[in-house]
Amino acid sequence: MVHASLNKRPPVRKPESAGRPRVAVLLPLPFPGPFDYAVPPALTDLQPGDIVSVPLGRRTETGVVWDPTPALPPEFTPPPMKAVADGRLKPVISRLDQPPLPGALRRFVDWVAAYTLSPPGMVLAMALRTAATAPVTPTTGWAVAEPPPDLRETPARRRVLEIAASDGPLPGTELARRAGVGTSVVRGLADAGALRAVVLKPAPPFAAPDPAHCPPTLGDGQQEAAQSLRDLAGTGGFSVTLLEGVTGSGKTEIYMEAIAACLERGRQVLVLLPEIALSAQWTGRFTRRFGAEPALWHSDLSPRLRRVTWHAVAEGTARVVVGARSALFLPFAELGLIIVDEEHESAFKQEDGVTYHARDMAVVRARLDRAPILLVSATPSLETLANVGAGRYRHLALTARHGGATMPEVRTIDMRAHPPERGLFLSPVLTEAMQATMARGEQAMLFLNRRGYAPLTLCRTCGHRLQCPNCTAWLVEHRARRVITCHHCGYQEPTPPTCPSCHAEASLTPIGPGVERITEEARATFPDARLLVMASDTLPGPAATADAVAQIARREVDLVIGTQIVAKGWHFPHLTLVGVVDADLGLGGGDLRAAERTVQLLHQVAGRAGRAEAPGTVLLQSYCTEHPVMQALVSGDFASFMRQEAEQRRPGFWPPFGRLAALIVSADTPEAADATARALGAGAPRGDGLQVLGPAPAPLAILRGRHRRRLLLRARREIALQPIVRQWLERVAPERGARIDVDIDPVSFL
């Protein structure tokens, strides 16, 4: 999302006339375009993509020499602007000793900025990663020098000198380890002049994957799909292919054959995962297949590893990168294949800062790099299925599980007919099935997509509800940590002992279940079961997730209880029962994708059951078992459900048959928010195929202390929204303290 004032992007300057040499430099800052700088005599060979140091006011900034004219679609191209006079230009200070940003990446930055109506500098910030582009500190080793005549020898010192002479030069810690001494002995020899410092030639940070290391054994249908993908990756060129396969059909093993073909061509591969927690299990499978680990890219990397990885990608020594959506902006030297795993996941939508959908932008990146892209899912998004139907995407389908495993049986539990006991949330039908499953030595899973103990806490005496002071949202109790917190802004306080309104003691009551409350009920119901909770609160990073997955694989866990993290492609061969505590949870509200998301999520959760020899069962607790989502899950007919969903959206030109742009007004006061929203409504675009809904209060009418109003522009698919929205914003000046954020192709409507 971007400030309205930044939407009016000044166009790239006119081509320079005769005069002082100049270059355009784009800075990773929220400016609407590149600045012109003079080229000093020592840098006359500057080229687009070079990373440079330039003055900005009284400080120095790092930027990138930019292309004179961005290659954008006509509807995105802004009008020309006036050139800056030669006498006002400041000179470029220096060119940094860094790999230049490739041309395809520069075009990608321009394209994303134009499409999302974001300042190009903020898109560049994701690509440049100033901290990542800092030089990688060279490693110093120690070699034997001419020993001084007065050197005092000891047995420890002699061992260090002997190893340095035979195996050196070596880093100080490694030299000390091999000699069995402390690093102080090495430092003492260096201070005495018996060792000299040597800059070590860095070893490649990532081992090269071997395409022939351990090829998989594939069935007939799998082999046919794998060969098709190998042909695409081996030939190269831009194409988009949907790899659709039921859960457990071996999609990962199949698309790894495409990775092998790309590596054989000497090209790099990018794999995007919706959750970085998945990287641990995925990396293990990759390493078994190729004999080497891939490079990882996500927010939990240390600054040094981030720098090393960025440089390895730019230099081409990182052959395969697996990462979160931000990996799209890495400077690949030879990008030959992109894979978007679980392409339907809404986690691919970036909601803060520059708003973009990584799946859609990955298709653009593949086109600019002239590389094939694979979209992989058991439950493809309606947008992707529409592109398949229109002939824009190829389609490969896998309809059976690998190795003879069968799809789980899915049944609903009508909570009206089989309610839980008072104060509990698990139906007797579900608890009996869980008891029988664990008695057979098999594993069970309970799924509830709600963190914490309870989503709402109220006072039995006065009815007061604990609400966030910064948002129109209820505070969620986390009983294990004895706090109540807001899941939108992060506000947190200790759980109060009395009602904050009437001060009644012991009157605060939790309403509804969260995953902690279900865990409490499960411990009481199954006191001998070994429980494991998988939620973002209990698994803070990939390492913790990997440990949890290993415990399940070693059969050290009887019952897994989790939020949506448990739905993400895990392979638990001994898990045969999945119970969904509240299958109706995602169906409320006015989200046009509510039914699609619910069927995708629950289908993925159901896919964790029965992935090996033992058959699986899925039980859905529901109060509306007749809902089309529940019927689709029971029948397993995902395709028919998506066709019905498409027919409901088509007449109203809802996505994917139309386009949406959300305008979100936020302000310090409700008056400023209302005034700005009314001005936007009065200046709303009109025309055939256009409709503006709103202004109206946002569902989260206050977020982080700011008052919010929303407008939604809906257009036919053939209409480009960006120039319309840009002109719309030019007609409206936000009130003091207000701003207008734009979200093209919104996924969230909060």
Side-chain angles (χ1 to χ4, degrees):
M1 297 182 182
V2 294
H3 194 286
S5 63
L6 299 178
N7 294 333
K8 305 170 185 177
R9 172 185 174 183
V12 175
R13 58 180 176 76
K14 293 180 179 178
E16 63 179 87
S17 56
R20 191 175 184 183
R22 64 175 71 196
V23 291
V25 176
L26 188 61
L27 302 174
L29 296 168
F31 295 116
F35 291 107
D36 281 357
Y37 285 90
V39 178
L43 296 174
T44 54
D45 60 342
L46 281 177
Q47 297 293 324
D50 286 345
I51 300 176
V52 295
S53 179
V54 295
L56 182 68
R58 296 184 178 181
R59 66 183 192 270
T60 300
E61 294 289 345
T62 299
V64 179
V65 177
W66 216 242
D67 302 86
T69 304
L72 295 171
E75 64 269 21
F76 292 167
T77 304
M81 73 177 212
K82 294 181 180 179
V84 178
D86 286 351
R88 297 176 57 193
L89 293 180
K90 294 182 179 181
V92 174
I93 297 173
S94 64
R95 174 171 46 204
L96 303 185
D97 184 18
Q98 302 293 336
L101 259 62
L105 179 54
R106 300 195 304 274
R107 292 191 294 273
F108 183 60
V109 168
D110 279 328
W111 207 100
V112 173
Y115 187 86
T116 62
L117 294 178
S118 301
M122 297 309 294
V123 182
L124 176 66
M126 297 188 289
L128 190 57
R129 299 288 183 188
T130 305
T133 58
V136 177
T137 305
T139 302
T140 300
W142 298 101
V144 174
E146 186 68 29
D150 58 345
L151 178 66
R152 183 176 63 85
E153 286 199 9
T154 65
R157 283 186 164 188
R158 278 197 297 272
R159 287 199 304 274
V160 170
L161 292 173
E162 288 170 359
I163 292 172
S166 61
D167 301 340
L170 293 170
T173 53
E174 177 64 12
L175 184 56
R177 186 188 68 80
R178 294 193 188 186
V181 301
T183 54
S184 60
V185 177
V186 177
R187 286 196 301 269
L189 285 169
D191 293 341
L195 293 176
R196 58 186 176 87
V198 177
V199 176
L200 299 177
K201 181 180 179 180
F206 303 103
D210 178 6
H213 176 70
C214 186
T217 301
L218 302 175
D220 292 341
Q222 293 177 321
Q223 186 62 47
E224 183 179 348
Q227 187 59 51
S228 179
L229 296 183
R230 284 188 66 93
D231 292 342
L232 284 173
T235 304
F238 172 66
S239 64
V240 187
T241 302
L242 168 63
L243 176 60
E244 179 183 5
V246 298
T247 54
S249 58
K251 295 185 293 295
T252 304
E253 286 73 15
I254 290 170
Y255 73 61
M256 282 190 181
E257 293 308 288
I259 295 176
C262 186
L263 293 174
E264 289 168 357
R265 288 181 60 222
R267 310 287 287 181
Q268 293 171 288
V269 181
L270 168 62
V271 181
L272 295 180
L273 300 179
E275 298 282 353
I276 202 56
L278 288 174
S279 63
Q281 193 175 59
W282 192 95
T283 298
R285 297 168 79 172
F286 181 90
T287 304
R288 288 191 295 273
R289 169 63 179 85
F290 293 101
E293 292 188 358
L296 296 178
W297 185 264
H298 54 80
S299 58
D300 287 344
L301 294 182
S302 67
R304 184 182 186 281
L305 185 53
R306 182 177 290 271
R307 289 194 298 272
V308 168
T309 304
W310 194 95
H311 281 261
V313 171
E315 294 161 2
T317 56
R319 305 310 295 169
V320 178
V321 178
V322 57
R325 54 187 178 237
S326 61
L328 263 179
F329 297 89
L330 286 171
F332 287 93
E334 303 169 310
L335 185 58
L337 175 66
I338 299 177
I339 297 170
V340 183
D341 206 346
E342 309 289 3
E343 65 84 26
H344 65 277
E345 282 282 354
S346 59
F348 280 123
K349 179 67 186 241
Q350 168 75 31
E351 299 282 6
D352 297 322
V354 178
T355 60
Y356 67 95
H357 201 299
R359 177 200 62 214
D360 300 339
M361 295 303 103
V363 174
V364 175
R365 180 80 200 258
R367 179 171 57 82
L368 294 174
D369 277 273
R370 298 182 178 87
I373 178 171
L374 308 181
L375 307 179
V376 184
S377 177
T379 53
S381 63
L382 195 53
E383 284 80 2
T384 295
L385 291 174
N387 279 315
V388 168
R392 288 184 285 267
Y393 294 178
R394 305 179 188 187
H395 188 201
L396 295 174
L398 303 168
T399 58
R401 282 187 158 179
H402 177 58
T406 58
M407 294 298 293
E409 178 190 8
V410 180
R411 302 198 304 266
T412 56
I413 299 175
D414 191 333
M415 299 294 278
R416 297 163 294 190
H418 305 283
E421 295 182 19
R422 183 177 179 84
L424 301 180
F425 300 93
L426 301 180
S427 167
V429 177
L430 178 55
T431 56
E432 289 171 10
M434 293 168 62
Q435 187 69 59
T437 297
M438 290 185 283
R440 294 193 301 268
E442 298 167 359
Q443 295 170 319
M445 174 187 289
L446 287 175
F447 170 77
L448 177 63
N449 196 22
R450 185 184 280 149
R451 290 181 291 153
Y453 187 83
L456 170 65
T457 302
L458 60 77
C459 175
R460 290 195 306 267
T461 302
C462 69
H464 175 75
R465 302 183 177 195
L466 300 184
Q467 182 172 337
C468 175
N470 307 317
C471 308
T472 47
W474 309 123
L475 290 172
V476 177
E477 180 184 3
H478 287 255
R479 186 160 292 188
R481 293 185 285 132
R482 299 180 181 178
V483 298
I484 49 175
T485 186
C486 175
H487 288 170
H488 298 284
C489 72
Y491 173 84
Q492 182 174 293
E493 64 178 66
T495 304
T498 61
C499 173
S501 178
C502 71
H503 306 293
E505 296 184 359
S507 65
L508 294 177
T509 303
I511 304 298
V515 71
E516 288 184 15
R517 197 170 190 181
I518 296 302
T519 302
E520 181 180 86
E521 181 176 339
R523 289 191 191 282
T525 307
F526 310 105
D528 298 327
R530 297 167 297 176
L531 272 59
L532 174 68
V533 179
M534 293 184 68
S536 58
D537 304 292
T538 61
L539 302 175
T545 305
D547 182 61
V549 171
Q551 290 182 56
I552 298 171
R554 293 193 300 265
R555 307 185 78 167
E556 297 172 0
V557 175
D558 301 312
L559 176 60
V560 181
I561 303 174
T563 58
Q564 63 178 350
I565 194 172
V566 301
K568 311 291 186 181
W570 305 110
H571 179 69
F572 301 137
H574 308 294
L575 195 151
T576 60
L577 176 68
V578 170
V580 178
V581 177
D582 186 355
D584 308 328
L585 181 59
L587 297 176
D591 188 343
L592 72 96
R593 295 184 177 90
E596 178 188 356
R597 285 180 180 168
T598 301
V599 80
Q600 287 168 337
L601 177 61
L602 297 186
H603 184 85
Q604 292 285 340
V605 173
R608 299 317 103 206
R611 295 172 68 95
E613 293 81 6
T617 303
V618 180
L619 299 176
L620 309 173
Q621 292 193 157
S622 172
Y623 286 93
C624 47
T625 56
E626 65 281 357
H627 194 284
V629 165
M630 303 305 149
Q631 296 302 309
L633 291 166
V634 170
S635 68
D637 193 353
F638 174 77
S640 294
F641 172 83
M642 294 302 278
R643 284 195 295 270
Q644 294 171 11
E645 187 74 9
E647 292 309 310
Q648 291 179 8
R649 295 192 205 174
R650 194 187 305 272
F653 301 103
W654 294 103
F657 309 105
R659 300 184 184 276
L660 296 179
L663 274 65
I664 304 97
V665 177
S666 62
D668 298 328
T669 65
E671 293 78 14
D674 287 332
T676 303
R678 284 195 300 270
L680 279 172
R686 293 172 174 80
D688 185 37
L690 295 176
Q691 182 184 18
V692 174
L693 306 175
L700 280 174
I702 305 175
L703 181 64
R704 301 183 183 94
R706 292 182 65 82
H707 299 263
R708 304 168 74 244
R709 309 291 182 262
R710 288 182 64 100
L711 298 94
L712 189 68
L713 171 62
R714 181 172 57 170
R716 294 179 183 269
R717 184 176 177 83
E718 65 272 14
I719 298 176
L721 291 178
Q722 287 78 6
I724 296 172
V725 174
R726 190 181 294 115
Q727 294 168 12
W728 186 6
L729 293 173
E730 289 173 352
R731 298 193 291 267
V732 176
E735 294 287 314
R736 183 180 180 86
R739 75 181 188 199
I740 305 168
D741 295 321
V742 178
D743 185 0
I744 302 293
D745 304 329
V747 168
S748 170
F749 293 87
L750 295 179

